[in-house]
Amino acid sequence: MKNILIAIIGLFVISCKEYKTSKIDSEEQKEKIQDSLTLELNKIYEKDYINGFSVAIVDKSGILYNKGFGYADIKTMKPYTKQTIQNIASISKVVVGLALLKAQEMEVLTLDDPINQHLPFEVSNPNYPEVPITIRQLISHTSSIMDTDFYWSKCYVLIDSLSTTEKATMSVPDYFNPKEDWLPLETFLEKMLSKNGEWYHKEIFADRKPNETNQYSNMGAALCALIIQSASKTPFNEFTKQHIFEPLGMKSTGWFFNEVNRDDFTKLYNEKTEIPHYIGLTYPDGHMISSTNDLGILLSELIKGFDGVGELLNTNSYNEFYKSQLTKEQLEEGDDDNLGVFIEKLVSNNVYGHTGEDPGVFTVMFFDPTKKIGRVLIKNTESEQEEAHTEYWNIWNKMEKFQDKL
């Protein structure tokens, strides 16, 4: 009996040693793969089309790879790191979708509610005033509310006042408005969409019934945020902080500069010329501030939610989040891609996620629902050069090449 016990103990010790050795070998192999990916991405950065960028690869367990490249400030050579923050453009809408479903769980609204049930002012298509616009139509971009040129001319506002010298040395789009033109979300949307609004035009509404055709609408996404704000009696930025950012530990994420550490914010560039910091008056549609570290945390949660083990929403809510919201009649002929609740479903690529683009900003965040692995890429540079676009997508493709190995 004693000999048998000694033999068992001996086998256990050997097994532990083998497990420890195997684990060490696995970690060393993972480091080699990470180093190889870093080397490949550095080669792309060294072509000098992008001033600074950051990437993350994640799965359900969390972040597998996360690294920044280049500079957040090319004059001071401040590194762009995985903690560097910037506005992330339309990826922000994914958070609006999560917030809507959280508000539905709290029973302060439902996706099929008419929007006027919750808005502090009335919105209807003047061409079809008898047809109510619903929240679901906003999330599927079928509300018939359009982003007009006038909307774009009013939407962007500078964060800081610029001196004459700064204006001369910076790349300032002609549609950027001075910081004094800042308006709260509710005020801006009322001016645009209420019949009594100062900037109201019938042209904002398409000459078709709500729920008829899909047409992308930033104002529609912003209206969703205002609905959440009105229904929950909580400012939208506070609602998302309380129900999304804090529960996930997204410590560097917010909507306004006073909610984040501005020292961590990258400068934005048109090639090598700085673009001044700005915000959109319809900020929930595309002006969330975050890093790849925090977006990696968010994407990992989205993968878990797809797999039925999410932490932010219950199973029914995540099922709704990923359910195709558009009918074949609402899509263009031959288009098989669809939308969940502000999350894109690209059938041809078998991915869920969103992209985003703004002055000095381009972002991509998608995951493969079969492999349960996803990628995030954000950069601080815009360029009209074809080679710059090619290198940007080369980064994305390199990540795909390495993701399965990680």
Side-chain angles (χ1 to χ4, degrees):
M1 188 70 179
K2 184 178 179 181
N3 291 336
I4 294 174
L5 183 59
I6 292 172
I8 292 172
I9 292 171
L11 288 171
F12 177 75
V13 170
I14 292 170
S15 176
C16 287
K17 287 182 178 178
E18 289 177 348
Y19 171 77
K20 187 175 181 180
T21 301
S22 175
K23 187 176 181 181
I24 292 171
D25 290 343
S26 177
E27 288 299 318
E28 288 178 349
Q29 181 64 21
K30 184 179 178 181
E31 286 182 13
K32 288 181 181 179
I33 295 168
Q34 290 174 336
D35 290 343
S36 296
L37 176 55
T38 298
L39 182 65
E40 293 294 324
L41 296 181
N42 262 321
K43 288 179 182 177
I44 296 174
Y45 164 71
E46 288 168 359
K47 294 184 179 181
D48 204 27
Y49 291 111
I50 305 168
N51 297 314
F53 68 92
S54 183
V55 302
I57 299 174
V58 309
D59 65 6
K60 284 196 302 183
S61 69
I63 295 175
L64 304 175
Y65 179 87
N66 190 14
K67 191 169 179 63
F69 298 82
Y71 298 111
D73 185 332
I74 58 177
K75 287 184 179 178
T76 64
M77 300 183 72
K78 179 181 178 180
Y80 195 114
T81 74
K82 63 184 181 182
Q83 302 290 355
T84 298
I85 58 176
Q86 65 174 72
N87 42 312
I88 60 165
S90 285
I91 289 179
S92 308
K93 292 181 177 70
V94 174
V95 172
V96 178
L98 293 171
L100 270 173
L101 290 165
K102 175 56 70 174
Q104 183 169 258
E105 286 183 6
M106 295 164 63
E107 299 183 347
V108 298
L109 58 79
T110 72
L111 297 188
D112 291 307
D113 287 344
I115 62 175
N116 289 331
Q117 183 176 323
H118 301 289
L119 288 173
F121 51 86
E122 188 170 312
V123 176
S124 64
N125 186 326
N127 303 300
Y128 301 94
E130 75 286 356
V131 182
I133 297 172
T134 67
I135 298 173
R136 192 177 296 277
Q137 291 162 13
L138 296 179
I139 65 177
S140 61
H141 297 291
T142 61
S143 68
S144 75
I145 298 172
M146 301 190 298
D147 299 330
T148 62
D149 288 342
F150 184 78
Y151 158 76
W152 289 115
S153 75
K154 293 291 186 181
C155 180
Y156 290 90
V157 173
L158 290 166
I159 296 294
D160 304 305
S161 296
L162 299 181
S163 67
T164 303
T165 302
E166 287 172 324
K167 288 179 182 178
T169 58
M170 286 183 162
S171 176
V172 186
D174 57 10
Y175 51 87
F176 275 19
N177 298 289
K179 67 175 294 188
E180 292 76 21
D181 286 359
W182 166 258
L183 291 171
L185 178 65
E186 178 180 334
T187 304
F188 179 78
L189 290 174
E190 185 172 10
K191 281 176 175 282
M192 281 283 182
L193 298 172
S194 169
K195 279 186 178 180
N196 300 319
E198 178 185 351
W199 299 330
Y200 177 83
H201 292 283
K202 287 187 177 182
E203 290 75 17
I204 290 174
F205 299 87
D207 189 12
R208 60 174 181 271
K209 291 181 180 179
N211 206 43
E212 199 168 275
T213 304
N214 168 253
Q215 184 174 2
Y216 197 85
S217 174
N218 285 285
M219 273 200 289
L223 265 180
C224 281
L226 182 58
I227 288 167
I228 295 167
Q229 181 169 294
S230 299
S232 68
K233 296 180 174 56
T234 307
F236 178 73
N237 60 314
E238 290 296 329
F239 185 93
T240 50
K241 179 182 179 181
Q242 180 181 347
H243 296 288
I244 298 174
F245 305 152
E246 287 185 344
L248 289 180
M250 297 171 66
K251 297 179 181 180
S252 299
T253 299
W255 298 97
F256 303 116
F257 274 96
N258 63 0
E259 297 175 340
V260 296
N261 183 356
R262 189 165 179 179
D263 289 340
D264 293 335
F265 203 103
T266 182
K267 292 185 182 299
L268 302 174
Y269 296 94
N270 180 349
E271 297 189 353
K272 298 298 180 183
T273 305
E274 185 180 342
I275 298 171
H277 289 154
Y278 59 88
I279 189 171
L281 297 183
T282 52
Y283 73 88
D285 66 32
H287 295 272
M288 191 171 92
I289 299 166
S290 196
S291 63
T292 51
N293 185 73
D294 277 13
L295 290 176
I297 294 171
L298 177 64
L299 185 56
S300 182
E301 165 64 16
L302 295 183
I303 297 171
K304 287 191 284 188
F306 185 89
D307 219 27
V309 291
E311 299 172 10
L312 285 182
L313 304 175
N314 63 37
T315 302
N316 289 337
S317 292
Y318 268 120
N319 288 341
E320 183 70 58
F321 183 69
Y322 289 112
K323 185 176 75 175
S324 295
Q325 300 291 326
L326 293 169
T327 65
K328 287 186 177 180
E329 292 73 25
Q330 292 168 330
L331 291 166
E332 292 184 11
E333 187 175 349
D335 187 3
D336 293 326
D337 294 339
N338 215 299
L339 289 171
V341 180
F342 285 129
I343 189 163
E344 297 173 353
K345 179 181 180 181
L346 305 185
V347 175
S348 55
N349 301 99
N350 189 37
V351 291
Y352 286 91
H354 217 292
T355 60
E357 188 170 10
D358 256 329
V361 174
F362 193 72
T363 60
V364 191
M365 182 178 78
F366 282 98
F367 76 91
D368 184 322
T370 304
K371 296 179 178 179
K372 309 293 193 308
I373 195 165
R375 291 167 280 164
V376 183
L377 169 57
I378 63 177
K379 71 178 176 74
N380 66 4
T381 312
E382 69 176 36
S383 174
E384 295 300 319
Q385 297 183 67
E386 185 177 339
E387 295 87 351
H389 292 276
T390 299
E391 294 310 323
Y392 187 70
W393 289 110
N394 281 344
I395 295 170
W396 188 250
N397 293 332
K398 286 291 183 185
M399 293 166 66
E400 183 178 22
K401 178 182 175 181
F402 280 85
Q403 67 181 18
D404 293 341
K405 299 176 183 178
L406 289 169

